[in-house]
Amino acid sequence: MTKYKKVFLIDDDEIHNFLCESVIRSQQFAANVNSYLWAEEALECLNTIVKEKPHDFPEIIFLDINMPGMDGWEFIEEYRKLPVELTQNCLLFVLSSAVDKNDITHAKNLSEVNDFFSKPLTSDILNIISEQYSTHQ
């Protein structure tokens, strides 16, 4: 399986983040996994990385849509403002329990979003990412 250097999980559900981290680690999908319960906190971290360690920008971001405070859509709006030379090398996947077809369609129509997956994150999803996006690295 493709091994990525850094993955960000952005989801307000602590248990879901723990389970995602477990799947990612058990599949040796990524060397580092950073979980954020608040989209604002993840965005702040990305902005710090941009300023201080751009080579440390995550290769993959898993983003929930429905979160308190800044939701996934608002995160994507702010993500667009980050340097394109960094974001173009990052795969952004919506990972949500949203069953609203409009949310799924909207996510898939955003150029920043590579794909939409339904929770929970599974080894099958990681395999799909490795197979379909491995040339992205």
Side-chain angles (χ1 to χ4, degrees):
M1 180 169 287
T2 303
K3 188 163 187 173
Y4 294 93
K5 288 183 264 180
K6 184 177 278 192
V7 171
F8 271 26
L9 297 169
I10 307 170
D11 193 312
D12 63 311
D13 184 336
E14 205 166 341
I15 293 168
H16 179 258
N17 283 344
F18 175 78
L19 294 173
C20 287
E21 284 185 42
S22 297
V23 170
I24 289 168
R25 292 186 204 291
S26 72
Q27 296 295 308
Q28 298 179 334
F29 185 75
N32 295 299
V33 183
N34 297 72
S35 297
Y36 299 92
L37 296 173
W38 298 93
E40 296 93 338
E41 183 186 7
L43 192 60
E44 190 177 301
C45 185
L46 289 173
N47 279 311
T48 300
I49 289 170
V50 166
K51 290 176 191 151
E52 298 175 10
K53 297 181 184 174
H55 62 279
D56 227 9
F57 203 83
E59 294 161 288
I60 295 182
I61 296 174
F62 290 106
L63 175 67
D64 188 21
I65 293 299
N66 300 313
M67 296 182 286
M70 177 185 279
D71 68 16
W73 306 124
E74 293 166 318
F75 175 88
I76 291 169
E77 285 297 316
E78 293 302 313
Y79 181 81
R80 286 182 174 147
K81 299 174 185 174
L82 297 172
V84 70
E85 60 271 13
L86 298 177
T87 59
Q88 72 186 1
N89 295 317
C90 179
L91 299 168
L92 177 61
F93 298 104
V94 171
L95 182 63
S96 182
S97 55
V99 288
D100 184 339
K101 288 185 192 240
N102 291 330
D103 280 347
I104 296 168
T105 302
H106 180 61
K108 289 187 173 191
N109 285 332
L110 293 173
S111 62
E112 295 81 10
V113 176
N114 292 89
D115 210 340
F116 181 101
F117 295 108
S118 293
K119 288 182 182 178
L121 183 65
T122 63
S123 57
D124 287 342
I125 290 172
L126 297 181
N127 286 330
I128 289 167
I129 292 169
S130 290
E131 290 167 13
Q132 291 185 7
Y133 299 96
S134 63
T135 58
H136 186 275
Q137 291 190 64

